[in-house]
Amino acid sequence: MSTLGDGTRAVRAGLPVPEQFEPTLPGPVFAAHFHLSGDPVGPYTYGRETNPTWTLLEQAIGELEAPGEEVGTTVFASGMAAITAVLLSQVRSGDAVVLPDDGYQALPLVREQLAAYGVEVRTAPTGGDAQAALLEGAKLLWIESPSNPGLDVCDIRRLVEAAHAADVLVAVDNTLATPIGQRPLELGADFSVASDTKGMTGHGDLLLGHVTCRDPRLTADVRRWRKVVGAIPGPMEAWLAHRSLATLHLRIDRQCTTALALAEALGERAEVTGLRYPGLPTDPSHPVAARQMRRFGSVISFELADRGTAERFLSALRLVDDATSFGGVRSTAERRGRWGGDAVAEGFIRFSVGAEDPEDLLADVEQALDAAVR
Ligand SMILES: Cc1ncc(COP(=O)(O)O)c(C=O)c1O
């Protein structure tokens, strides 16, 4: 599988060996328990521990995360379930953890929880590899690159080298990139983690998360955690996710191409400031992003003058839903400041580029900007 192109790998990822009269991708297996006589030995015993639909999806995600390698993937009910599985299965009271201070807005909740368990939490921004200065004596470094919603990028390989030299484990939240945009394990990370609610599944109709590790001991820790807390995906969600992976390359390629065209068009507009997209050659993150990313993602961020201008822009869009989340085939945008959790200006917009025809989307954004500043 390691020599195949991304598209070929995506359409075949995790498919079972062909069997006469069996479907290419078996349907979801709905089962709380499985027939089990004698000693309770797997592969399938009880539905909180394993499920054949997860097995195929986990195999598929592993093939995308680390083509040609034996890795262990564990799927979860959501991205947050995956994130907390890594952190809470690894750290103990008295340990120190390094988090980004500009990552996903639920990370401060995680931070509070860790602190309540007696874990020291150190934070620094993603940009400029600022987390490197906090590694001494830490147990785990948590990276989110590109970061959400600021779209800053850090040099993952460089941070991993510094962390491993200090005996610190490294986890990368790869949600914005997806595994066909960036492969954290190849960059040296111990855990590649993602919310598959976003670009990975891409239709905005399910929540899911995953953790992939090269080290079987770390996989065992994460799997044990899933069994303990029961943060398991439903078989239907797992199957829909696997089905969606077959179009991952098509969706993400289209979305990335349009995202770059939109970022370039926004760069021409006087009312747009603070424009960020790692794929833009003029973006401060571009040199590092170009070294470690294979595709730059579907999310763009920028600022309009104030809250009123941003709200007028959002309500004038005809082809873009005012909704949170990102990475889906239908474009969405939101005024991120409405949640109150991110350090962003009132006019800050996070824009997720979908799979619409690029000329239609660009025209819609141009007319909405015109309407917003009129
Ligand atoms: C970067 C990032 N990580 C994790 C999450 C959490 O994922 P979920 O909503 O699937 O729990 C999100 C959600 O937006 C996210 O943007």
Side-chain angles (χ1 to χ4, degrees):
M1 287 294 270
S2 59
T3 56
L4 298 175
D6 288 345
T8 313
R9 191 175 300 113
V11 297
R12 300 215 61 86
L15 297 184
V17 176
E19 258 188 69
Q20 186 79 326
F21 310 126
E22 290 297 321
T24 311
L25 175 63
V29 176
F30 296 100
H33 57 261
F34 301 85
H35 291 294
L36 178 70
S37 51
D39 292 337
V41 179
Y44 301 108
T45 54
Y46 184 61
R48 181 163 29 78
E49 212 163 328
T50 44
N51 173 290
T53 311
W54 306 348
T55 305
L56 295 179
L57 175 62
E58 288 169 341
Q59 175 66 28
I61 294 174
E63 288 169 18
L64 297 171
E65 287 276 4
E69 273 192 67
E70 273 301 311
V71 290
T73 296
T74 310
V75 288
F76 286 89
S78 68
M80 286 313 295
I83 289 174
T84 50
V86 172
L87 286 163
L88 298 175
S89 71
Q90 296 306 310
V91 302
R92 305 284 179 270
S93 171
D95 285 343
V97 168
V98 182
L99 299 182
D101 66 13
D102 52 356
Y104 176 52
Q105 64 171 1
L107 279 187
L109 298 176
V110 175
R111 179 184 177 168
E112 271 172 35
Q113 200 62 46
L114 289 169
Y117 292 151
V119 175
E120 181 198 341
V121 182
R122 308 170 185 168
T123 62
T126 299
D129 301 344
Q131 290 173 292
L134 307 180
L135 294 172
E136 198 51 49
K139 177 76 196 288
L140 191 141
L141 166 65
W142 189 270
I143 292 172
E144 187 179 304
S145 182
S147 62
N148 172 24
L151 302 180
D152 249 332
V153 168
C154 57
D155 186 333
I156 297 176
R157 205 183 284 280
R158 181 173 166 243
L159 282 171
V160 166
E161 277 167 17
H164 285 174
D167 214 11
V168 178
L169 290 167
V170 182
V172 176
D173 183 330
N174 201 35
T175 302
L176 273 105
T178 81
I180 65 162
Q182 177 169 272
R183 295 185 191 140
L185 298 188
E186 269 179 17
L187 299 170
D190 302 288
F191 303 89
S192 179
V193 187
S195 164
D196 299 327
T197 310
K198 312 288 187 309
M200 188 73 155
T201 55
H203 292 74
D205 52 9
L206 60 87
L207 282 99
L208 203 89
H210 81 266
V211 179
T212 303
C213 310
R214 197 175 270 131
D215 182 341
R217 284 169 307 181
L218 297 180
T219 298
D221 290 347
V222 167
R223 285 192 172 231
R224 180 180 177 282
W225 183 263
R226 179 176 66 182
K227 182 176 166 181
V228 170
V229 299
I232 56 168
M236 190 67 197
E237 281 78 2
W239 182 82
L240 278 170
H242 198 161
R243 196 176 97 135
S244 300
L245 288 185
T247 54
L248 182 66
H249 60 301
L250 293 174
R251 292 184 279 107
I252 301 286
D253 277 347
R254 166 68 159 233
Q255 290 170 253
C256 290
T257 305
T258 310
L260 180 59
L262 180 60
E264 284 168 346
L266 289 168
E268 299 291 316
R269 300 284 304 216
E271 58 277 70
V272 170
T273 58
L275 174 66
R276 296 300 304 267
Y277 180 62
L280 256 189
T282 51
D283 190 277
S285 290
H286 186 69
V288 180
R291 276 205 303 278
Q292 68 193 15
M293 298 184 76
R294 307 169 68 243
R295 291 170 176 85
F296 298 109
S298 60
V299 180
I300 297 172
S301 64
F302 57 94
E303 281 173 37
L304 296 175
D306 49 31
R307 177 179 179 152
T309 313
E311 283 174 353
R312 284 196 299 282
F313 168 69
L314 292 170
S315 55
L317 288 164
R318 295 179 190 126
L319 301 176
V320 180
D321 295 328
D322 186 347
T324 196
S325 207
F326 54 85
V329 289
R330 296 174 200 92
S331 290
T332 56
E334 71 170 334
R335 199 179 66 76
R336 197 61 190 164
R338 66 180 170 175
W339 294 94
D342 300 312
V344 293
E346 285 289 307
F348 181 99
I349 302 280
R350 188 182 69 190
F351 196 110
S352 171
V353 174
E356 300 84 3
D357 287 306
E359 50 282 11
D360 292 338
L361 190 65
L362 265 65
D364 193 36
V365 170
E366 299 274 8
Q367 70 75 27
L369 282 173
D370 292 343
V373 297
R374 195 170 289 142

